[in-house]
Amino acid sequence: MTDVTTRRLDLAGTRGFAAPGAGPARRAALADFGFQWLGELWGAASEGRRLPGVALAAVGSLARRDGGPLSDYDLVLLHQTRALAGNDLNALADRLWYPIWDEGVKLDHSVRTVNQCRTVAGADLSAAVGLLDITFVAGDEEVVNAARSTVAHDWRANARTRLPQLHESIMSRHARQGDLAHLLEPDLKEARGGLRDMAVLRALTAAWLADRPHGAVDAAYQQLLDVRDAVHVVTGRGRDRLGREDHDAAAALLGYTDSDLLLTDVSSAARVIGYSLDGTLRRAAQAQRARTLRVGPRRPRLTPLGYGLFLHDGEAVLGPGVDAGQDPHLVLRAALVAARNGVTIAPTTLANLAANCPPMPQPWPATALAALGDLLATGPGLVAVWEGLDLAGVIERWIPEWAQVRSRPQRNAVHRHTVDRHLIETVVRASGLLREVARPDILLLAALLHDIGKTPGARDHSEVGAPIADAVLRRLGVEDGDRELVVRLVREHLTLIDLATRRDCDDPQTIAAVSEAVGGSLATLDLLRALTEADASAAGPAAWTDWRANLLDKLVTSARTALAEGAAPMESFKEAEPVSEEIQNRIVIGQAHVVVTPLGGAHRVDVHDRDRLGLFADTAGLLAAQGHIVRSAVVRTVDGIAANEWHVETPGNDAPDEAAITRGLMRLSEGDREPLAILNRRQRASASDSSRASSGAPGQTRAMVISHASDTATVIEVRAADRPGLLHDIGITLARASLSVRSAHIATYAGQALDTFYVTEFGGRPLPPARVAQAVSMIIDTCDGE
């Protein structure tokens, strides 16, 4: 490590790193050191001579004096035309840049005249934003002043034409980098709500189009700078990405007891900056239109929205003479009309409402509860309006428990948002399902509160959330019967999808579990089904696939039939259709019969073959060898003929090859294992990669018996690291144990397999205890490769 790098890290320090005011003081000291060192380099490079018309300038974080311990230096060697001969100028540049490189400092450098700065700023939007911060370091200060004033003048003069380009570049960057508020490994600089957006806010202000917010925005910016500094210190690298492996170290350096608390603060800061940028861009566009259209005095155009609010320049504002201090419902009504019209509440109006509206009586009046229901039903317009209310402190006054889930990260790969944003996204999805239920208001309240139990330390958030939801609903004035129904939905909101993906939908015990969850009510079943879809689809595409939707529909249909009949289903499994004579004749001569049916994003594969141990494993292996992902399998026998039904998804969208599966089953039944050779090669490659990654770490497979899940089979749930052919290997193991697989229900989340098998002895009976223990042990050994 070079002397300069050591000095910069020493200035950053670790003792008192998180003390109040330490961040700005640390960055000021780093900037002072940088300017002093660069000044000394200038003196050496210029050999003590005064060089009129030549100067060293800084842009970027050094110019703003907010660089981190290992931030890059962005430098410009400015010169007037003919101030130095070309060779002399190049030699001066070399004498400046090489010592910086020798010290291991990352350097972005250029040599330009004032006119060249102007040309570059005119052609490159990001360069223009950066050059607005250009700051004198050493040499002839007048040259730097000329460059700064020229670039700033051009920026203001061309603001009307460049604003659309700026907006497009911002949206493109956000699309590439994602939303900092909802990322587990965010780029603190480039993501939405990150450090780069603060530079844009300053640029919009410099264009004289709109003033940027201060106060909370400045504090949020300092928060992100502190985290960026911590990343530099703990990684020893000048990077801006907060990697998952750096969470704990950065959190400890910043004084957090839990890295989730760090991520929560990062998310909150990003939300403030992102929301401020959206509002400032909106007001800049308003100013741009005003400059373009104004002819003489311009009177505001106000369109009535109701409740004393008006639409003005794309925002909801209070009308003249409306006193926010007289009506506790006004902020709720303002949110309702704004969301219905797809606009946000103007910042000044929102601040007025948040500060002056009286608190809502408790319990809430029926009119207020009805208005909240209407607000939740507004659909996509709710998101931005709710965000504004939350940042203004209104939501926490309505629902104090919201503070426990605000900006709270979710370390589940299925989820794409923080807990609070996921709740609102679920409400938005639920608003599209209102016609499918008898009580839309109940559905929306359940969607709003279904994950309210994801508080620090909560193990089962459904159970934790139920009493929390109950307390919230009491304050909101929800009647007892409705309140109990919402609490039931919160408690059971995972039940349907868990049963649909991990249990046999035809098993009477599964249907009984659904009936118990909904209290035997068809109306409650409809509500729970809609909540399940809204929750899963809001989580992200990994949580709501065609396959999961089909499973949920199948379970709900079976449960609805049983509930409508008013009796528990009979203890029997759906029998396979009789096997046709043509299929029987083919099987007699040793040919399997395979039929593939498309199911809109998935495929059903029906396999008829002579019943034998290992048929399940062989079929799973052939499907895996073709690259298909098995989602479920139901295995039945009719007069000695296996009638097996498989459902698969294919990443490449290619349908399973009927002929190849048929040939493969025939060859495998004769002892020829060549059809599985490609799978075996893939498994060996996967095992080699896994062993290199794990360095001999012990297996983590869990296999357990689900008691009382079925009266006619033994239900074994397996949780293991997924790999090619895992289902095939488990099937082989069960065959070696002389066990029949009656049905299998397969799911994979973030590389982890969660598979459930209904198994029987070959005669069709559940397993005795000794056989259960043997089967569980064999499965674990197989999954762990032992």
Side-chain angles (χ1 to χ4, degrees):
M1 188 177 296
T2 65
D3 292 341
V4 170
T5 300
T6 302
R7 177 61 176 152
R8 294 172 78 188
L9 289 173
D10 287 344
L11 287 171
T14 54
R15 182 175 298 176
F17 193 90
R26 174 175 60 250
R27 288 183 284 275
L30 287 166
D32 289 342
F33 169 76
F35 279 100
Q36 178 183 350
W37 178 53
L38 292 171
E40 294 170 355
L41 289 181
W42 173 265
S46 63
E47 299 173 341
R49 295 177 297 157
R50 183 175 178 273
L51 300 176
V54 185
L56 181 64
V59 294
S61 61
L62 179 60
R64 296 189 300 270
R65 300 180 64 84
D66 60 14
L70 297 176
S71 290
D72 300 356
Y73 282 174
D74 297 333
L75 301 177
V76 182
L77 180 58
L78 279 172
H79 64 98
Q80 293 176 344
T81 305
R82 294 187 295 276
L84 280 178
N87 291 338
D88 292 340
L89 189 63
N90 291 334
L92 176 63
D94 288 345
R95 290 195 297 270
L96 284 169
W97 308 150
Y98 277 98
I100 297 174
W101 287 324
D102 290 342
E103 289 291 344
V105 176
K106 290 186 177 179
L107 175 65
D108 186 1
H109 61 91
S110 60
V111 180
R112 292 175 182 150
T113 65
V114 172
N115 282 336
Q116 286 173 338
C117 287
R118 188 177 191 181
T119 301
V120 169
D124 187 329
L125 198 60
S126 61
V129 173
L131 284 168
L132 290 171
D133 294 321
I134 193 166
T135 300
F136 171 75
V137 176
D140 189 344
E141 189 168 0
E142 292 301 319
V143 183
V144 181
N145 292 339
R148 182 169 56 246
S149 61
T150 300
V151 170
H153 175 271
D154 289 350
W155 180 250
R156 289 190 297 271
N158 297 316
R160 183 174 64 84
T161 57
R162 304 205 75 173
L163 182 61
Q165 301 172 20
L166 180 63
H167 188 272
E168 182 180 351
S169 70
I170 293 169
M171 296 302 103
S172 176
R173 172 168 54 83
H174 289 172
R176 291 193 309 271
Q177 300 294 339
D179 194 332
L180 176 54
H182 305 291
L183 296 172
L184 286 177
E185 294 188 288
D187 188 316
L188 298 168
K189 183 177 182 180
E190 302 293 349
R192 180 181 182 273
L195 301 173
R196 179 77 72 188
D197 284 348
M198 193 66 175
V200 175
L201 283 170
R202 285 190 293 264
L204 290 171
T205 302
W208 295 356
L209 289 173
D211 190 16
R212 70 171 182 84
H214 297 273
V217 179
D218 293 325
Y221 182 59
Q222 294 298 323
Q223 173 85 54
L224 293 185
L225 289 174
D226 286 345
V227 178
R228 187 273 321 270
D229 292 353
V231 171
H232 286 194
V233 172
V234 301
T235 64
R237 298 169 60 191
R239 68 183 194 183
D240 300 310
R241 184 171 296 278
L242 176 59
R244 194 185 299 259
E245 68 278 8
D246 305 321
H247 287 181
D248 292 339
L253 182 59
L254 290 165
Y256 292 95
T257 57
D258 186 339
S259 61
D260 277 2
L261 299 178
L262 166 63
L263 292 176
T264 297
D265 280 355
V266 168
S267 174
S268 297
R271 290 172 62 180
V272 171
I273 294 174
Y275 186 78
S276 299
L277 178 61
D278 291 344
T280 304
L281 282 170
R282 192 164 52 247
R283 288 186 293 280
Q286 294 166 3
Q288 178 196 36
R289 289 193 297 271
R291 287 182 180 182
T292 304
L293 301 175
R294 181 176 298 166
V295 179
R298 179 174 180 261
R299 300 180 63 184
R301 296 180 58 183
L302 300 176
T303 303
L305 296 176
Y307 303 115
L309 288 113
F310 295 82
L311 179 65
H312 172 60
D313 271 341
E315 296 176 329
V317 300
L318 279 179
V322 178
D323 185 359
Q326 299 299 313
D327 184 3
H329 298 71
L330 188 56
V331 64
L332 183 56
R333 289 168 173 161
L336 173 58
V337 298
R340 277 181 173 170
N341 287 275
V343 298
T344 59
I345 304 174
T348 53
T349 296
L350 184 56
N352 180 15
L353 293 170
N356 297 312
C357 272
M360 196 76 74
Q362 292 189 9
W364 282 23
T367 52
L369 179 60
L372 176 63
D374 291 342
L375 172 62
L376 297 179
T378 53
L382 173 66
V383 176
V385 172
W386 192 275
E387 179 79 348
L389 294 173
D390 194 15
L391 293 175
V394 173
I395 301 302
E396 191 171 340
R397 291 206 295 272
W398 291 348
I399 307 173
E401 295 84 353
W402 197 261
Q404 291 293 309
V405 297
R406 180 189 295 113
S407 299
R408 184 159 183 80
Q410 303 200 74
R411 294 183 179 272
N412 186 329
V414 167
H415 279 280
R416 56 184 174 180
H417 296 117
T418 54
V419 176
D420 58 330
R421 177 63 180 272
H422 171 69
L423 291 174
I424 297 306
E425 292 289 342
T426 302
V427 171
V428 172
R429 299 300 179 118
S431 69
L433 303 171
L434 299 183
R435 294 185 179 180
E436 299 183 14
V437 297
R439 290 291 306 276
D441 56 332
I442 296 296
L443 173 61
L444 292 170
L445 286 172
L448 180 67
L449 299 174
H450 74 280
D451 275 354
I452 199 70
K454 285 186 174 178
T455 57
R459 292 183 176 273
D460 185 342
H461 71 274
S462 301
E463 290 295 333
V464 171
I468 297 175
D470 185 78
V472 172
L473 296 167
R474 289 180 186 274
R475 286 197 304 274
L476 295 180
V478 179
E479 295 181 355
D480 289 348
D482 291 347
R483 174 174 50 78
E484 292 170 1
L485 178 52
V486 175
V487 170
R488 176 186 286 271
L489 293 173
V490 170
R491 181 182 294 111
E492 304 291 347
H493 76 270
L494 296 176
T495 298
L496 288 184
I497 201 66
D498 280 351
L499 290 174
T501 58
R502 298 166 61 184
R503 299 291 179 267
D504 194 314
C505 296
D506 293 323
D507 194 289
Q509 296 289 344
T510 304
I511 303 304
V514 174
S515 179
E516 181 181 359
V518 301
S521 166
L522 281 170
T524 304
L525 177 62
D526 290 337
L527 284 166
L528 190 57
R529 191 253 176 255
L531 177 60
T532 301
E533 178 178 339
D535 180 21
S537 60
W544 188 243
T545 62
D546 290 344
W547 174 244
R548 290 167 73 86
N550 289 336
L551 282 179
L552 180 63
D553 286 340
K554 180 180 179 182
L555 175 63
V556 171
T557 299
S558 299
R560 182 176 285 114
T561 300
L563 291 174
E565 293 173 352
M570 296 296 292
E571 176 69 34
S572 63
F573 267 83
K574 183 173 64 178
E575 293 296 333
E577 296 292 331
V579 180
S580 69
E581 183 176 349
E582 178 186 356
I583 294 176
Q584 293 183 41
N585 291 336
R586 292 187 60 176
I587 292 174
V588 166
I589 62 175
Q591 293 183 359
H593 182 262
V594 179
V595 176
V596 175
T597 306
L599 295 176
H603 292 88
R604 169 174 165 170
V605 183
D606 289 291
V607 177
H608 290 81
D609 199 357
R610 177 178 54 82
D611 190 28
R612 58 181 174 83
L613 283 175
L615 177 60
F616 173 88
D618 289 345
T619 310
L622 290 171
L623 291 170
Q626 290 188 11
H628 306 294
I629 301 171
V630 177
R631 290 307 185 194
S632 77
V634 179
V635 183
R636 305 182 183 92
T637 302
V638 179
D639 298 329
I641 297 176
N644 300 341
E645 176 184 323
W646 298 76
H647 291 258
V648 301
E649 289 181 351
T650 306
N653 296 322
D654 294 329
D657 188 331
E658 293 180 356
I661 295 174
T662 301
R663 291 192 302 270
L665 288 174
M666 291 176 59
R667 294 175 64 181
L668 289 168
S669 68
E670 296 169 355
D672 180 0
R673 311 307 293 176
E674 183 60 27
L676 298 180
I678 186 173
L679 176 62
N680 294 332
R681 289 195 296 271
R682 193 180 303 158
Q683 286 179 310
R684 286 193 295 270
S686 176
S688 176
D689 292 343
S690 176
S691 64
R692 286 195 296 267
S694 63
S695 300
Q700 299 296 322
T701 298
R702 295 177 59 195
M704 64 202 81
V705 176
I706 309 300
S707 303
H708 311 298
S710 174
D711 293 334
T712 58
T714 298
V715 182
I716 301 176
E717 182 178 279
V718 180
R719 302 181 183 184
D722 196 25
R723 55 178 169 79
L726 176 64
L727 187 59
H728 165 259
D729 290 347
I730 294 175
I732 288 290
T733 298
L734 295 174
R736 288 172 178 166
S738 299
L739 300 179
S740 295
V741 179
R742 193 177 71 186
S743 68
H745 306 269
I746 314 303
T748 304
Y749 306 99
Q752 299 298 306
L754 178 58
D755 302 342
T756 306
F757 300 91
Y758 285 64
V759 299
T760 65
E761 294 191 295
F762 200 62
R765 298 181 302 276
L767 278 60
R771 294 271 282 149
V772 169
Q774 179 191 32
V776 167
S777 177
M778 291 176 67
I779 290 172
I780 291 175
D781 289 346
T782 296
C783 294
D784 289 342
E786 297 179 2

